[in-house]
Structures are given as C-alpha cells and as structure tokens.
Amino acid sequence: MPFKIYKKYVMLLAFTAPALIFYAIFLLIPTISGMYYSFTDWNGLNPNYNFIGLGNFVESLKEDPDFLNSLWFTLKYVLVMIVLQNALALVLAVLIESRTRSKGFFRTIFFMPNMISTIISAFMWTFVFSSVLPQIAEKTAIAFLGQSWLGDPKVSFFSIIIVSLWNGVGYMMIIYLAALQGVPQSLKEAAIIDGANAFQTLRSVTLPMITHAITICFFLTLNGAFKVYEVVYGLTGGGPGRSTQVITMNIYEEAFSNNFRYGYASAKSVILFAIVLIFTLIQLRVMKKREVEA
C-alpha cells in the first residue's frame, strides 16, 4: 500500500477512534454483555451465576402475564403514535409552508415543546390533568374535562398519547418542513395549471417528492415509541395498577425493583430488541419500495 494512502487511513482512524471507543464502551459492549446474561440467572450483584439457556425467554413469553400485557400496551402505543404523530406533523408542516409570512413564528411555537425535557413535560401535564382541567369543568358546563385523566385505565392511555404528541410532533414537523422546501415550485405550478386542486397537488406531487422524509419520520417514531419510558413514568407510573405499564418500565422493574433478576430482565430486553428490529426492517423495506416507485 502506498505511503500516502496508508497515511490517509491512519488519519481517518485517528479522527474516528474517540467516537468508536465511546461507542464500544457505552453501547456495543453492554449490548453484547446483555445478550450473554439473558441466558443466565444472574441477579446483577452476585459474581456467581448459572447458565440456564432459554429458560428466561420461555418464562417471559409463557409465564409472565405482566410482561405480555406491557408488550401489548406498547404495541398499541406504537401503532397510534406512528399514525397520529406523522399525520399531525405533516399537516402542520404543509399549513406552515403554505404561509407567506410568520413561518418562523409558527415553526418556533410548535417546536418549543420538543425543547422541554420529556419528564418535565409529563409533570407539567400531570398538573394540568389533575388540577387545571377539573377546575375548568367545575366552572363550566364541559363535564368530560373533570374525569379522571390519569386514574381511569380507559382514559389514561389517551392522556399519555396527548402528552407524547405535544412533546414530539414539533420535531417531526421540522423534518417535513425541510423536505417540503425541497419540492420544486415549478412542479406545483404545473399541477395547478393542469387543473389540480390543493389536495390533488399534495397527493400526486408533494407526497411522492418527500417520501424520503416520511421514511425517516416513520423510522424515528417507531424506535422512539418502542423505547418510551419518561412520559409514562411521569404521568401514571405504569398505573393504575399495571394498566399503562410499557415494556421498558417492566424491564426496569424486573432488573432493579423486584428481585434484581438482571438475567431475566436482559432476556426481556433481547425480546424487545428483536421486535424493534423486525418492525424496523419491515418498515424500511416497505417505505424504500415506495421511494423507488415514487
């Protein structure tokens, strides 16, 4: 290998080495270790543990109803968030992009919730749900505002969705706005000249041109929804009972709050990883196919 090429690769390695080291220490090694411990009965503290094979996986999928309930609740949350968050973000982006003035103002207003910590947002909305809305219901005739937003299992799910959307729609909106700005104005004008209305132009011209942004936003929403923790912890703590417990909360509880079953919690983490991987591959395959067709 010529010296210049060798020097080039050495320089590239030198610049990327710090990031690679941190990546290995804080992500790669813990991931591999977690997969290994998922086949053991390690409690996270005792240096001695036994290798039990697939025992943890069998127990979690067949003998742990709390885990299965949290898995179902998480899947329901993911589905709702993928649809609503992207739909609202896209609608807001289109409406803001169509304005000739005050674009910056509206971008800032809708993005501001994303700048607030998720756990802080959850505590803010806890006050709104438990104190503000009941007061409004008491002083007006809007009775449904006085219901138990966080204490009723049938309503608490929607409370979590509301806060999650409030906190995350702005970020997706910015991505869609950036994509919309890349759509050639000449194509829109040509569609209007051909007699297309605003909806037809959006469907036939704009959406095919921003398919790459839709793929990115779906990917981010999917992964973020599966890893949700703070908003549920801050609003309901997984309650009432375990009715709003997400899978990440169940894993944390198993590893640190119950019997310190670290190996068992690691097995649940591997299951979550496999589910996210499968959903992500399917989503990327479908969306990439649409990008090619567009």
Side-chain angles (χ1 to χ4, degrees), residues 102-113:
S102 64
K103 287 184 181 180
F105 171 77
F106 285 105
R107 280 200 302 262
T108 303
I109 290 297
F110 287 110
F111 185 74
M112 280 182 65

Side-chain angles (χ1 to χ4, degrees), residues 238-258:
R242 294 175 181 265
S243 60
T244 61
Q245 187 182 68
V246 289
I247 190 170
T248 52
M249 189 172 291
N250 181 271
I251 293 172
Y252 178 87
E253 182 181 82
E254 201 67 59
F256 303 107
S257 299
N258 285 350

Side-chain angles (χ1 to χ4, degrees), residues 40 45 75 84 101 109 113 145 205 284:
T40 70
L45 300 173
L75 289 174
L84 290 185
R101 298 181 179 180
I109 290 297
L145 293 179
V205 177
L284 290 177

Side-chain angles (χ1 to χ4, degrees), residues 5-34:
I5 298 178
Y6 176 79
K7 182 179 180 181
K8 176 182 177 181
Y9 282 110
V10 170
M11 292 295 293
L12 288 175
L13 182 61
F15 280 112
T16 58
L20 291 175
I21 292 173
F22 279 101
Y23 177 82
I25 293 175
F26 294 105
L27 185 63
L28 188 60
I29 295 176
T31 300
I32 297 174
S33 299

Side-chain angles (χ1 to χ4, degrees), residues 34 51 55 68 71 84 111 132 158 160 179 247 257 259 265 268-269:
F51 186 83
L68 296 178
L71 177 59
L84 290 185
F111 185 74
V132 176
F158 298 100
I160 293 171
I247 190 170
S257 299
N259 300 316
K268 292 182 177 181
S269 300

Side-chain angles (χ1 to χ4, degrees), residues 77 81 112-126 160 163-168 224 227-235:
Y77 173 85
M81 285 298 295
M112 280 182 65
N114 188 259
M115 301 173 63
I116 304 174
S117 170
T118 306
I119 191 67
I120 299 300
S121 299
F123 289 148
M124 289 169 50
W125 277 91
T126 299
I160 293 171
V163 179
S164 299
L165 291 175
W166 181 82
N167 195 258
K227 296 185 292 185
V228 63
Y229 182 89
E230 298 97 327
V231 64
V232 180
Y233 177 81
L235 287 174

